[in-house]
Amino acid sequence: MRIVMKFGGTSISDGNNIRHVAQLLKDYYDSGYEVVAVTSALGSVTDGLLSNAIEVSKKGKVSQIKEFISDLTHKHYSAIHEAIDDEDIIDETIQTIDCRVDELEKALIGICYLGELTPRSIDYISSYGERLAAPIVSGAIRSIGIKSKMYTGGDVGIVTDNEYGNAKPLEQSYQKVGETLRPVLSECIPVVTGFIAENKDGVITTLGRGGSDFSASIIGASIDADEIWLWKEVHGIMTTDPKIVPEARSMSWISYAEAMELSYFGARVLHPRAIEPAIRNGIPVRVKNTFEPDFSGTLVVSEQRPTEDVVKAVTLIKKVSLVNISGAGMVGTIGTAARVFNSLADANVNIIMISQASSESNMSIVVDEDHLEAAVNAINSEFDKNVIKDVTYDNNICVVAVVGAGMAGIPGVSGRVFSSLGKDNINVITISQGSSQHNISFVVSEEEAFDAVRVLHKEFELESKKREEINWETV
């Protein structure tokens, strides 16, 4: 069986966890699996790299860089000594880390003196989290008797466009990655940096949010993997956030469509873009808990299997704002909605949800909280008062979404959703339902959001449903 296994920052947060990951990989390799490991940065390292780069570009303090580099070096040295027993491998790994830390320090000093931080520089700086972690993971594997070779995303052949911070892989990547990794799978465990790649000119790029998952998905599609495993600190994809509903449970399986809906509406376990290569190749994606590896986790598959669970999960988006657009001049005016959306697109505003009255006299949109000011300014600049009279907004809201492929064509789901909320005196501000019928989403006040999630989780008995038992080998 050929598996791509991605390990997130929590899974390799320190040397002890890296040692655990190395043993986990060895166990599967010894059992006859062909394994590719994709690694994130050590816990909190990427955030530290970015925040320090931003600060030194503004304040220009070399002393701050020296202090940061010292702390970063110490963190990785500690991980090396905890994760690796063999002295020769320790020395070799330290040399690799020293070389890369030296490169990083020079780059930060250059940013400090220039007082400028470009998107290209941000990608270069942020890439060091994974580039410092991968040698330690590979060294830990070698120290317990399994051959391993370390690669960056660019080394294995992930080639992207030039959109720094959110680069997209070019089609040629899939062939290049396959040609690089397939020949070595029977000989060792390759360790590949997640999140980072290169453009055609060999300049480092990053893949954006969910980047390490994206790397694993690209690699899985390139080598015809049987499954892609995303090792995280959770038991899989949950019926809701257990911090809101402690009774939330792990789902044993879910469809790609449902997983993407959940991710779009606030669930952070998977990013829709990150599993696109897996979807196009029909590769199952399994979400597992690094620290409880015997638990089967959640398997994400292409087919939407019939199930008694009409609703699979309830999810929540926080830190959003509601923008209300109204005016009698909107009624019957062709192209108003198009102008609204075009103006927001030009302002780089991400629209999360849309609702429009049948009278056409008002429209409500939900945007990221950080995009609110840009959204309001863009709409006010686009229209005069003859068309749109008022643009108002509300910051104290959340979006709740009820998700499940079983909802499609089943009457009464919306009735149960809103009836149960009404019984608990939870006010629904605006409603939207996707044409796929896989979700019903609505806006409530921030104060009532958690209560809404709890009510719906209970209404659809998500906490009491038994895990569906399916034959994993046939999926």
Side-chain angles (χ1 to χ4, degrees), residues 314-322 353 366 394-401 417-418 421-422 425-431 441-454 456:
V314 182
T315 189
L316 178 71
I317 308 180
K318 295 176 280 188
K319 296 185 178 180
V320 291
S321 299
L322 178 68
M353 179 179 145
V366 177
D394 185 352
N395 277 323
N396 301 312
I397 61 103
C398 292
V399 174
V400 179
V417 168
F418 298 114
L421 294 171
N425 297 312
I426 295 172
N427 181 50
V428 177
I429 299 169
T430 189
I431 302 166
S441 51
F442 54 91
V443 173
V444 296
S445 69
E446 191 173 28
E447 293 77 14
E448 295 181 320
F450 282 17
D451 286 339
V453 172
R454 294 184 187 110
L456 293 170

Side-chain angles (χ1 to χ4, degrees), residues 25-142:
L25 289 163
K26 180 181 186 298
D27 291 344
Y28 283 103
Y29 185 81
D30 287 344
S31 298
Y33 285 69
E34 292 184 337
V35 181
V36 177
V38 176
T39 181
S40 298
L42 270 63
S44 76
V45 168
T46 301
D47 288 342
L49 288 166
L50 290 173
S51 62
N52 274 273
I54 291 168
E55 283 190 38
V56 300
S57 70
K58 294 177 180 178
K59 298 180 180 179
K61 291 184 178 179
V62 174
S63 60
Q64 180 180 341
I65 296 171
K66 297 291 185 182
E67 182 179 350
F68 171 68
I69 290 295
S70 176
D71 291 343
L72 187 71
T73 303
H74 176 73
K75 183 182 183 76
H76 287 83
Y77 275 11
S78 295
I80 290 168
H81 287 288
E82 290 170 352
I84 303 171
D85 291 328
D86 186 291
E87 290 297 329
D88 290 336
I89 297 175
I90 287 174
D91 290 343
E92 180 186 325
T93 306
I94 286 175
Q95 287 180 17
T96 301
I97 296 300
D98 285 346
C99 180
R100 292 188 173 177
V101 166
D102 184 58
E103 293 170 357
L104 172 63
E105 183 176 5
K106 289 175 181 176
L108 287 171
I109 290 173
I111 289 167
C112 176
Y113 286 144
L114 289 172
E116 182 181 24
L117 187 61
T118 65
R120 174 172 168 169
S121 297
I122 291 172
D123 273 14
Y124 181 74
I125 297 298
S126 61
S127 75
Y128 274 93
E130 281 72 15
R131 292 166 69 192
L132 291 172
I136 305 175
V137 176
S138 182
I141 295 168
R142 288 187 289 128

Side-chain angles (χ1 to χ4, degrees), residues 227-258:
E227 287 186 12
I228 298 165
W229 292 6
L230 306 179
W231 292 91
K232 300 176 182 284
E233 71 280 10
V234 294
H235 269 51
I237 301 176
M238 309 291 285
T239 52
T240 196
D241 186 345
K243 294 178 183 176
I244 302 174
V245 182
E247 299 80 13
R249 63 181 178 85
S250 169
M251 293 175 280
S252 60
W253 71 273
I254 193 171
S255 69
Y256 288 137
E258 290 166 325

